[in-house]
Amino acid sequence: MYQLKYRYVWIILGLLLTGTITYLSLIPLRTEVPFGLSDKVVHFVIYFTVTIWFVGIVQQRFFWLLGLVFFVFSYAIEVLQGMTTYRRFEWSDLLANGVGIAVALLLGMLLFKGWCQWFESTVLKISHPDV
């Protein structure tokens, strides 16, 4: 992990995001996807967002593990949805999740690795010792 002054805050917020995804993925749907978006776009955005969040916390050498964890997580959510009477397992959802994760990891490697440290240093004006 990067040297972060508010490491536990970043992690707790990420876990809350993950918990929210879990909750919203397992409750009955009450509305359609807003703005006429495909639900696959929503899947992509959700898994992109949670992955890019953690890209800011973990070092690049652990990105493969991060991707694996979130892909297994998304698969588990799909399996759990398939066990309900009001949701279903969809391979296309799993594919959209995986693409969101992969794009987040790629952008993380190219542009956004350590974004939490950048945010603390630039926006919060916290100095970090070199790692």
Side-chain angles (χ1 to χ4, degrees):
M1 287 197 192
Y2 290 99
Q3 294 291 326
L4 298 169
K5 176 153 177 78
Y6 297 107
R7 174 181 314 180
Y8 294 110
V9 173
W10 293 112
I11 293 170
I12 288 169
L13 289 173
L15 292 175
L16 286 172
L17 178 59
T18 306
T20 301
I21 291 167
T22 304
Y23 174 73
L24 293 175
S25 296
L26 296 177
I27 63 172
L29 291 174
R30 301 199 191 287
T31 61
E32 292 297 315
V33 177
F35 312 115
L37 292 175
S38 163
D39 79 317
K40 304 314 173 233
V41 172
V42 174
H43 279 266
F44 173 92
V45 169
I46 288 169
Y47 283 90
F48 174 88
T49 302
V50 73
T51 304
I52 208 76
W53 184 271
F54 283 96
V55 157
I57 300 170
V58 303
Q59 292 182 353
Q60 185 172 338
R61 68 177 182 258
F62 297 112
F63 282 8
W64 69 271
L65 182 59
L66 184 65
L68 179 63
V69 165
F70 280 122
F71 189 76
V72 170
F73 170 73
S74 75
Y75 180 77
I77 292 292
E78 287 298 320
V79 168
L80 290 172
Q81 286 178 342
M83 297 169 69
T84 69
T85 57
Y86 47 86
R87 295 279 187 120
R88 64 182 187 272
F89 180 102
E90 290 187 39
W91 286 105
S92 56
D93 287 349
L94 189 61
L95 177 62
N97 299 344
V99 172
I101 293 164
V103 170
L105 293 174
L106 179 62
L107 286 177
M109 287 186 267
L110 298 174
L111 301 170
F112 297 111
K113 63 182 167 202
W115 72 264
C116 293
Q117 191 174 49
W118 172 88
F119 185 86
E120 286 186 359
S121 298
T122 307
V123 177
L124 301 179
K125 307 284 191 218
I126 298 169
S127 64
H128 294 93
D130 291 333
V131 179

